[in-house]
Amino acid sequence: QVQLVESGGGSVESGGSLRLSCAASQHTYSSYCLTWFRQAPRKSREGVAALTSDNTTVYADSVKGRFTISKDNAKNTLYLQMDSLKPDDTATYYCAARPFPQTTLDADRYNYWGQGTQVTVTS
């Protein structure tokens, strides 16, 4: 069983930056696909950025050029650097992992989830 714990959320003004972290309970990052999702109130969960074991990245169109996903295998930690934040980025952010190398932003294909961290962007 893989446990994921997010941190780094908070409140920031529009145009600001935040970096989210996701720590795993075991060494997963060498072979798993890792992804950040978000869910705003009354909206469905949205895939934001995915990172495969060979460091291929996929981003949602809404965050391309503003968000960067990365990982530190030695620390078993996944990151999401969020720059130029907008009020529309306000949501609970979750990290997720699946024990397959293929990239997908489909939430139904993920086996493990963190508890989420809140990001609020004020105008």
Side-chain angles (χ1 to χ4, degrees):
Q1 183 75 11
V2 176
Q3 292 183 332
L4 304 171
V5 179
E6 301 97 335
S7 60
S11 182
V12 64
E13 291 185 352
S14 183
S17 299
L18 283 174
R19 189 176 80 155
L20 305 182
S21 300
C22 175
S25 60
Q26 65 185 61
H27 185 62
T28 60
Y29 292 170
S30 64
S31 60
Y32 279 47
C33 179
L34 309 166
T35 298
W36 288 98
F37 290 84
R38 68 185 180 187
Q39 188 165 20
R42 298 175 297 282
K43 292 187 177 180
S44 58
R45 193 164 293 191
E46 173 192 21
V48 174
L51 178 65
T52 64
S53 57
D54 65 354
N55 291 321
T56 299
T57 57
V58 175
Y59 294 94
D61 288 343
S62 57
V63 305
K64 279 181 182 176
R66 301 189 298 120
F67 290 11
T68 304
I69 188 172
S70 63
K71 64 181 177 179
D72 185 330
N73 288 335
K75 296 182 178 179
N76 286 349
T77 301
L78 179 72
Y79 301 102
L80 184 67
Q81 177 66 41
M82 305 186 294
D83 298 318
S84 302
L85 283 162
K86 305 173 182 179
D88 284 350
D89 295 318
T90 295
T92 301
Y93 284 71
Y94 301 88
C95 67
R98 62 193 297 264
F100 304 99
Q102 295 84 8
T103 304
T104 177
L105 295 180
D106 182 352
D108 291 338
R109 296 183 178 271
Y110 284 80
N111 305 76
Y112 306 107
W113 292 84
Q115 83 290 348
T117 186
Q118 178 66 36
V119 171
T120 302
V121 184
T122 58
S123 57

